Amino acid sequence: MVIPMTDNTKVKSALIVEGGAMRGIYSAGVLDEFIRADYYPFDWYFGVSAGASNTAAYIGKQYGRNYKVITDYCRRPEFKSLRRFLRGGHLIDIEWLWDITERELDIGLDEIDKRKGRFLAVVTDAETGKAEYIAPERDELFQAIKCSAAMPIAFKGSVPFRGRTWLDGGVADSLPVKEAYRRGARKIMVIRSNPASYRKQAYRFRHLFPYILRQYPAVAKRLQRRHLEYNEALDFIRNPPADCEVIELCPPESFSAGQFTTDMQVLDEAYEMGKEDGLRVLSQNLI
């Protein structure tokens, strides 16, 4: 969705990449085409949860890195295990994923350093339930990305960072369009991980969150109203202030990848959908 501006004056711009676990394969496709075209027109780069790793590899100019992360490492039993979860462990092991991919896959730290302070990993403070937007130092990058992707319940722990504990950024701000606007961005591109028709519904078992997450009561309350805040962000995207242009990239309605999809055909199709949309954006010169 594009809302044209009447003024051609250069304004601040932001890229926002949503999370969604394996659904992030679509964003990986879009961003790989941006890498191929050396397309980096943004003043800020916001990454949320899986979107934080996608954004970091994009800024690092590592074509294909997140395709490999999702289609290889995220399909390994060390990362996702229902048996382990039923025995009281992690459903997904964020620590394992980021430790092994840090060792085995270049993320492009030198390139990321060139945009120091402009990449923001969205995280949720485990004690307050509030969103924060961290610009990590070089030696903090992987820990910040772990924080942003530490999904409550699916990942049994929280991630320590800068003397505090953190959980998935999607808990408090899945689509940080209002934060980008608050910082002065008036051209905002949002890469989502669901079709345009999607609106978040309340969690069916949200009344259990205070019990399941009793060590983090503020996070439990935030999750109970997450659908309201998510849909408010969608309303901002669809009806932004008059001085703001929003470009929304969504997978097509035929998109079938889910949060924990491991079917390679589905993942490859979703990646190609992203690449096609990335090429379309590049041809339109929207930013």
Side-chain angles (χ1 to χ4, degrees):
M1 173 180 176
V2 180
I3 300 174
M5 300 180 70
T6 58
D7 186 355
N8 291 325
T9 303
K10 169 68 171 129
V11 297
K12 296 292 185 180
S13 62
L15 174 71
I16 295 170
V17 184
E18 187 179 8
M22 304 295 269
R23 291 197 302 267
I25 192 74
Y26 169 81
S27 299
V30 173
L31 295 173
D32 273 351
E33 291 301 333
F34 287 4
I35 293 171
R36 194 195 297 272
D38 197 30
Y39 182 72
Y40 293 89
F42 307 99
D43 295 293
W44 289 287
Y45 300 80
F46 290 82
V48 186
S49 193
S53 58
N54 273 342
T55 305
Y58 160 54
I59 298 171
K61 298 187 175 182
Q62 297 304 302
Y63 183 93
R65 184 187 195 275
N66 283 309
Y67 173 82
K68 184 169 181 59
V69 169
I70 294 170
T71 61
D72 180 357
Y73 294 88
C74 288
R75 296 174 66 242
R76 298 186 192 182
E78 292 92 340
F79 176 63
K80 177 176 175 287
S81 171
L82 181 58
R83 178 179 295 181
R84 180 178 62 206
F85 182 68
L86 293 175
R87 291 177 176 176
H90 305 303
L91 176 62
I92 55 171
D93 191 340
I94 296 299
E95 294 277 6
W96 173 85
L97 178 67
W98 277 100
D99 287 346
I100 192 171
T101 53
E102 180 179 4
R103 292 194 305 268
E104 297 183 0
L105 299 177
D106 186 13
I107 201 168
L109 289 173
D110 290 341
E111 290 294 332
I112 293 171
D113 278 348
K114 294 177 182 178
R115 292 176 172 81
K116 184 177 180 180
R118 295 166 60 190
F119 166 54
L120 301 171
V122 183
V123 296
T124 299
D125 186 307
E127 299 302 323
T128 67
K130 295 181 179 179
E132 295 206 19
Y133 310 89
I134 294 175
E137 298 292 333
R138 182 187 180 105
D139 62 351
E140 297 177 323
L141 178 69
F142 288 94
Q143 196 70 0
I145 293 173
K146 283 182 190 178
C147 292
S148 189
M151 296 171 61
I153 302 173
F155 179 70
K156 293 296 185 179
S158 58
V159 183
F161 181 68
R162 296 182 179 178
R164 295 155 70 184
T165 53
W166 308 89
L167 292 168
D168 193 301
V171 171
D173 198 355
S174 296
L175 296 167
V177 285
K178 294 180 182 179
E179 177 64 18
Y181 184 81
R182 188 190 70 79
R183 289 174 181 255
R186 295 299 181 265
K187 287 189 175 183
I188 303 172
M189 180 180 290
V190 183
I191 306 178
R192 296 191 51 215
S193 56
N194 283 295
S197 63
Y198 175 83
R199 290 183 72 86
K200 187 170 287 295
Q201 302 298 312
Y203 293 112
R204 289 181 59 192
F205 301 107
R206 62 190 181 280
H207 61 285
L208 296 176
F209 289 160
Y211 170 74
I212 298 171
L213 295 168
R214 54 190 176 276
Q215 71 274 43
Y216 302 122
V219 171
K221 290 181 180 178
R222 199 75 191 237
L223 282 171
Q224 287 179 317
R225 66 175 189 270
R226 186 185 177 203
H227 62 293
L228 301 174
E229 295 176 339
Y230 186 95
N231 293 335
E232 285 175 4
L234 287 183
D235 292 340
F236 183 100
I237 290 170
R238 306 290 167 74
N239 296 284
D243 64 344
C244 183
E245 174 183 350
V246 177
I247 301 155
E248 181 185 12
L249 298 183
C250 298
E253 295 299 321
S254 60
F255 185 73
S256 61
Q259 198 171 27
F260 299 119
T261 295
T262 56
D263 185 298
M264 274 302 300
Q265 181 176 345
V266 172
L267 293 173
D268 278 337
E269 289 174 354
Y271 178 68
E272 291 302 322
M273 290 173 181
K275 293 184 72 176
E276 290 173 7
D277 282 352
L279 288 171
R280 177 176 57 80
V281 168
L282 292 168
S283 70
Q284 295 175 353
N285 193 28
L286 297 175
I287 298 289

